Amino acid sequence: MKAKFFVIGLLCLCSLSLFAEDKYAYLRQRNELRIGWGDQLFESLVWHNPTATIRTMPEDWSNTRPESYSHDQHIWIEYQWRFRHWFSLGGMVDWSDVRWDNVTRNGRGVEIARESGHWFYNLVIMPTIRFTYYHHPNVNLYSGLGFGMDINGGSETDGWGHHTVVGMAAQITVFGVSANYDRWFWTVDLGGMYALRNSNTIFMASTKMISASFGARF
């Protein structure tokens, strides 16, 4: 029985060694460039259409609220340089924005005025690092970190009249998987992006929890 388990374990180790990427394969493709998409779950939860329209007030009463929200998801591009088969360093630029109309309705819920063109954006620029802990010609598994700055701007102003402010931004990739074909690859990342100016001004929290990308290594 012990011999049987020993043989099974040995076969498993051999199979893993066959599927493992050559330690020096990264030397042939040190550069990596990818463009991706990420969700705006945080933004869609915080900035969303009113759940109900007020219809029980006098007709000459009016109220203005944001409506008709649209969320342009995260679009990002990242470059990485593979220093080792397990470690790479690079940089990422990420863009996302939210748009809406300010709608005025009377006490019966009838729209009497609409002001379009309201929006804000987040432009994130950060260096990134990645740790690849499983290699295979067709599959890689990895985790990563990023820390940089977030430029937040748009049509609105803060309490000091600024249309554009700068804060800190961070991203963590808890788990990522890359499906490879020759020099081309597709990825799915699970993690999150965070950005704030201070404890009272939060731009993003747990957004970009799921992202996907397409890229090339050369």
Side-chain angles (χ1 to χ4, degrees):
M1 182 63 70
K2 291 183 179 180
K4 180 179 178 180
F5 283 117
F6 175 78
V7 171
I8 293 174
L10 184 61
L11 290 174
C12 290
L13 290 174
C14 290
S15 64
L16 287 174
S17 65
L18 289 173
F19 285 115
E21 182 185 44
D22 186 326
K23 183 177 180 180
Y24 301 103
Y26 76 98
L27 292 172
R28 299 190 296 271
Q29 298 177 346
R30 282 185 176 271
N31 301 276
E32 180 181 291
L33 183 66
R34 60 176 176 158
I35 183 169
W37 166 95
D39 71 87
Q40 270 196 333
L41 178 62
F42 168 77
E43 290 86 347
S44 62
L45 291 175
V46 176
W47 293 283
H48 58 81
N49 294 326
T51 56
T53 299
I54 299 174
R55 305 178 188 275
T56 57
M57 300 296 289
E59 191 171 344
D60 58 354
W61 178 90
S62 64
N63 183 37
T64 301
R65 297 189 298 179
E67 295 184 19
S68 303
Y69 277 101
S70 63
H71 303 83
D72 293 333
Q73 310 297 304
H74 291 268
I75 300 297
W76 51 276
I77 185 169
E78 182 182 31
Y79 168 80
Q80 290 258 325
W81 172 267
R82 300 176 73 185
F83 284 90
R84 294 289 186 270
H85 66 285
W86 58 272
F87 176 76
S88 58
L89 173 66
M92 182 189 68
V93 177
D94 180 286
W95 170 276
S96 62
D97 62 68
V98 177
R99 302 173 184 271
W100 69 93
D101 298 340
N102 280 342
V103 179
T104 302
R105 297 181 182 275
N106 64 21
R108 300 303 181 186
V110 177
E111 180 180 325
I112 56 178
R114 178 180 292 262
E115 185 181 64
S116 303
H118 294 272
W119 73 301
F120 71 83
Y121 67 84
N122 284 293
L123 175 62
V124 174
I125 304 171
M126 64 170 58
T128 58
I129 59 175
R130 184 180 307 148
F131 305 96
T132 304
Y133 47 83
Y134 179 75
H135 302 267
H136 180 274
N138 301 118
V139 178
N140 290 343
L141 304 180
Y142 57 86
S143 297
L145 293 169
F147 185 80
M149 69 174 181
D150 174 40
I151 302 172
N152 177 274
S155 61
E156 311 306 292
T157 60
D158 63 9
W160 293 269
H162 301 135
H163 280 280
T164 305
V165 295
V166 178
M168 299 178 295
Q171 176 175 291
I172 179 171
T173 301
V174 178
F175 174 79
V177 57
S178 170
N180 315 312
Y181 177 76
D182 193 15
R183 66 177 62 251
W184 309 103
F185 65 94
W186 299 258
T187 72
V188 175
D189 295 354
L190 304 178
M193 176 176 282
Y194 307 82
L196 53 84
R197 188 179 185 189
N198 51 50
S199 59
N200 297 318
T201 307
I202 298 174
F203 302 132
M204 295 184 289
S206 294
T207 187
K208 200 179 173 184
M209 297 179 67
I210 302 173
S211 62
S213 72
F214 170 75
R217 299 185 178 102
F218 52 94

